[in-house]
Amino acid sequence: MKNKGFSLVEIIIGISLIGIISVFTFSIISFSLNGFSAVREKNTMIHIGEMVIEKLKINDPYIIEIIEDVEEYGQSYYLEEDFDRDKYSVLITKKYSSEGHIEVIVKVILLNQGKDIYVEFKAAISKQERI
């Protein structure tokens, strides 16, 4: 008499192969989703950095105070409510200063992460525009 079904060994091997393929597939999907999340965070940080640089170029009393702190102490934190301060921090550091302008580094830092994730921008701000 001929057996028309699968043996137990064949079924176990088939299920094992499906399991191995599933593990690899799910790990690739998980890795991709984490990559997308990191890209989204970097894009948000870039947006915040560009926004801060543009704000540093205007004559607002708070901005003038920040620039004075940067010139006097070498650095200052940007504390406006323009972004989620529980998630991001913005540090403005003086790189170079002359009579005509000040060069700063704007560093946007992602907080509450195990590793240092940040983006840096360099900008030159004219002092004549502030008068």
Side-chain angles (χ1 to χ4, degrees):
M1 182 165 111
K2 272 187 162 176
N3 288 340
K4 293 189 178 187
F6 294 106
S7 70
L8 182 60
V9 174
E10 292 172 329
I11 292 173
I12 292 174
I13 290 173
I15 290 174
S16 299
L17 288 174
I18 290 172
I20 292 170
I21 292 170
S22 297
V23 167
F24 285 122
T25 302
F26 288 129
S27 66
I28 289 171
I29 290 171
S30 174
F31 184 74
S32 297
L33 291 176
N34 287 340
F36 289 139
S37 176
V39 168
R40 184 177 57 245
E41 293 294 344
K42 284 272 189 177
N43 283 337
T44 303
M45 293 165 61
I46 289 169
H47 173 74
I48 292 170
E50 289 173 347
M51 176 200 60
V52 169
I53 288 173
E54 290 302 317
K55 286 206 169 195
L56 289 175
K57 296 178 182 178
I58 64 173
N59 282 326
D60 178 77
Y62 176 70
I63 299 299
I64 292 170
E65 181 183 332
I66 287 178
I67 297 297
E68 289 171 354
D69 286 348
V70 168
E71 286 198 86
E72 184 175 344
Y73 303 115
Q75 68 181 18
S76 179
Y77 282 94
Y78 182 84
L79 300 174
E80 282 283 312
E81 297 290 332
D82 298 329
F83 55 90
D84 185 1
R85 288 192 345 216
D86 293 331
K87 193 170 186 180
Y88 305 101
S89 177
V90 177
L91 178 64
I92 303 167
T93 308
K94 177 174 73 171
K95 183 176 179 188
Y96 172 78
S97 181
S98 69
E99 287 192 30
H101 72 282
I102 179 172
E103 290 184 18
V104 295
I105 297 173
V106 176
K107 186 176 187 178
V108 182
I109 306 161
L110 182 61
L111 302 175
N112 300 328
Q113 300 292 322
K115 51 193 171 193
D116 289 340
I117 299 175
Y118 63 90
V119 291
E120 281 187 352
F121 297 89
K122 295 178 184 174
I125 301 161
S126 176
K127 291 182 182 177
Q128 282 80 20
E129 294 174 2
R130 311 205 151 278
I131 299 174

